[in-house]
Coordinates of all heavy atoms in Angstrom, one line a residue:
G257 N 25.3 -134.6 44.3 CA 24.1 -134.2 44.9 C 23.9 -132.7 44.9 O 22.9 -132.2 45.5
R258 N 24.8 -131.9 44.3 CA 24.7 -130.5 44.4 C 23.5 -130.0 43.6 O 22.7 -129.2 44.1 CB 26.0 -129.8 43.8 CG 26.4 -128.5 44.4 CD 27.7 -128.1 43.8 NE 28.8 -129.0 44.1 CZ 29.8 -129.3 43.3 NH1 29.9 -128.7 42.1 NH2 30.7 -130.1 43.6
R259 N 23.3 -130.6 42.4 CA 22.1 -130.2 41.7 C 21.7 -131.5 40.9 O 22.4 -132.0 40.0 CB 22.4 -129.1 40.7 CG 21.2 -128.5 40.0 CD 21.4 -127.0 39.7 NE 22.7 -126.7 39.2 CZ 23.0 -126.7 37.9 NH1 22.1 -127.0 37.0 NH2 24.3 -126.5 37.5
L260 N 20.5 -132.0 41.2 CA 20.1 -133.2 40.6 C 19.3 -132.9 39.3 O 18.5 -131.9 39.3 CB 19.2 -134.0 41.5 CG 19.9 -134.6 42.7 CD1 18.9 -135.3 43.6 CD2 21.0 -135.6 42.2
P261 N 19.5 -133.7 38.3 CA 18.7 -133.4 37.0 C 17.2 -133.9 37.3 O 17.0 -134.7 38.2 CB 19.3 -134.3 36.0 CG 20.0 -135.4 36.8 CD 20.4 -134.8 38.1
G262 N 16.3 -133.4 36.5 CA 14.9 -133.8 36.7 C 14.7 -135.2 36.4 O 15.5 -135.8 35.7
L263 N 13.7 -135.8 37.0 CA 13.5 -137.3 36.7 C 13.1 -137.5 35.2 O 12.4 -136.6 34.7 CB 12.3 -137.8 37.6 CG 12.6 -138.0 39.0 CD1 11.4 -138.5 39.7 CD2 13.8 -138.9 39.2
P264 N 13.6 -138.5 34.6 CA 13.2 -138.7 33.2 C 11.7 -139.0 33.1 O 11.2 -139.7 34.0 CB 14.1 -139.9 32.8 CG 14.6 -140.6 34.1 CD 14.6 -139.5 35.1
A265 N 11.1 -138.5 32.1 CA 9.7 -138.8 31.9 C 9.6 -140.3 31.6 O 10.5 -140.9 31.1 CB 9.2 -138.1 30.6
P266 N 8.5 -140.9 32.1 CA 8.4 -142.4 32.0 C 8.4 -142.8 30.5 O 7.8 -142.1 29.7 CB 7.1 -142.7 32.6 CG 6.4 -141.5 32.9 CD 7.4 -140.4 32.9
A267 N 9.1 -143.8 30.2 CA 9.1 -144.3 28.8 C 7.8 -144.9 28.4 O 7.3 -145.8 29.0 CB 10.2 -145.3 28.6
V268 N 7.2 -144.3 27.4 CA 5.9 -144.9 27.0 C 6.1 -146.0 25.9 O 7.2 -146.0 25.3 CB 5.0 -143.8 26.4 CG1 4.4 -142.9 27.4 CG2 5.8 -143.0 25.3
A269 N 5.2 -146.9 25.8 CA 5.3 -147.9 24.8 C 5.2 -147.2 23.4 O 4.4 -146.3 23.2 CB 4.1 -148.9 24.9
L270 N 6.2 -147.5 22.5 CA 6.2 -146.9 21.3 C 5.0 -147.2 20.4 O 4.6 -148.4 20.4 CB 7.5 -147.3 20.5 CG 8.8 -146.8 21.1 CD1 9.9 -147.5 20.4 CD2 8.9 -145.3 20.8
Q271 N 4.5 -146.3 19.8 CA 3.3 -146.6 18.9 C 3.9 -147.1 17.5 O 4.5 -146.3 16.8 CB 2.5 -145.3 18.6 CG 1.6 -144.9 19.8 CD 0.6 -146.0 20.0 OE1 0.1 -146.6 19.1 NE2 0.3 -146.3 21.3
S272 N 3.7 -148.4 17.3 CA 4.2 -148.8 16.0 C 3.2 -148.4 14.9 O 2.0 -148.4 15.2 CB 4.5 -150.3 16.0 OG 3.7 -150.9 17.0
P273 N 3.6 -148.2 13.7 CA 2.6 -147.9 12.7 C 1.6 -149.0 12.5 O 2.0 -150.2 12.8 CB 3.5 -147.8 11.4 CG 4.8 -148.4 11.7 CD 5.0 -148.3 13.2
P274 N 0.4 -148.7 12.2 CA -0.6 -149.8 12.1 C -0.2 -150.9 11.2 O 0.3 -150.6 10.1 CB -1.9 -149.0 11.6 CG -1.4 -147.7 11.1 CD -0.1 -147.4 11.8
E275 N -0.4 -152.1 11.6 CA 0.0 -153.2 10.8 C -1.0 -153.5 9.7 O -2.2 -153.3 9.9 CB 0.2 -154.5 11.7 CG 1.6 -154.6 12.3 CD 1.6 -155.2 13.6 OE1 0.5 -155.6 14.1 OE2 2.7 -155.3 14.2
P276 N -0.5 -154.0 8.5 CA -1.5 -154.3 7.5 C -2.3 -155.5 8.0 O -1.9 -156.3 8.8 CB -0.6 -154.7 6.3 CG 0.7 -154.9 6.8 CD 0.8 -154.1 8.1
D277 N -3.6 -155.6 7.5 CA -4.6 -156.5 8.0 C -4.8 -157.7 7.1 O -4.8 -157.6 5.9 CB -5.9 -155.7 8.2 CG -6.8 -156.5 9.1 OD1 -7.4 -157.5 8.7 OD2 -7.0 -156.1 10.3
L278 N -5.0 -158.9 7.7 CA -5.3 -160.1 6.9 C -6.6 -159.9 6.1 O -6.8 -160.6 5.1 CB -5.4 -161.3 7.8 CG -4.1 -161.9 8.3 CD1 -4.4 -163.1 9.2 CD2 -3.3 -162.4 7.1
G279 N -7.5 -159.0 6.5 CA -8.7 -158.8 5.8 C -8.6 -158.3 4.4 O -9.5 -158.4 3.6
E280 N -7.3 -157.8 4.0 CA -7.1 -157.4 2.7 C -6.8 -158.5 1.7 O -6.8 -158.4 0.5 CB -5.9 -156.4 2.6 CG -6.2 -155.1 3.3 CD -5.0 -154.4 3.9 OE1 -3.9 -154.7 3.3 OE2 -5.1 -153.6 4.8
V281 N -6.6 -159.7 2.3 CA -6.2 -160.9 1.5 C -7.5 -161.5 0.9 O -8.4 -161.8 1.7 CB -5.4 -161.9 2.3 CG1 -5.1 -163.1 1.4 CG2 -4.2 -161.2 2.8
R282 N -7.6 -161.8 -0.3 CA -8.7 -162.5 -0.9 C -8.4 -163.9 -1.2 O -7.3 -164.2 -1.6 CB -9.1 -161.8 -2.3 CG -9.5 -160.4 -2.1 CD -10.9 -160.3 -1.6 NE -11.3 -158.9 -1.3 CZ -11.1 -158.3 -0.1 NH1 -10.6 -158.9 0.9 NH2 -11.5 -157.1 0.1
G283 N -9.4 -164.8 -1.0 CA -9.1 -166.2 -1.2 C -8.1 -166.8 -0.2 O -8.0 -166.3 0.9
H284 N -7.3 -167.7 -0.6 CA -6.2 -168.2 0.2 C -6.6 -168.8 1.5 O -6.0 -168.6 2.6 CB -5.1 -167.1 0.5 CG -4.3 -166.8 -0.7 ND1 -4.1 -167.6 -1.7 CD2 -3.6 -165.7 -1.0 CE1 -3.4 -167.1 -2.7 NE2 -3.0 -165.9 -2.3
A285 N -7.7 -169.6 1.6 CA -8.2 -170.2 2.8 C -7.1 -171.0 3.5 O -6.9 -170.9 4.7 CB -9.5 -170.9 2.6
V286 N -6.4 -171.9 2.7 CA -5.4 -172.8 3.2 C -4.2 -172.0 3.8 O -3.8 -172.2 4.9 CB -5.1 -173.9 2.2 CG1 -4.0 -174.8 2.8 CG2 -6.3 -174.7 1.9
P287 N -3.6 -171.1 2.9 CA -2.5 -170.4 3.5 C -2.8 -169.6 4.7 O -2.0 -169.5 5.7 CB -2.1 -169.4 2.3 CG -2.5 -170.2 1.1 CD -3.8 -170.9 1.5

Side-chain angles (χ1 to χ4, degrees):
R258 210 173 302 143
R259 190 150 41 92
L260 290 176
L263 286 182
V268 284
L270 291 170
Q271 282 301 320
S272 26
E275 270 146 1
D277 198 287
L278 279 180
E280 293 155 20
V281 178
R282 297 284 173 269
H284 287 338
V286 175

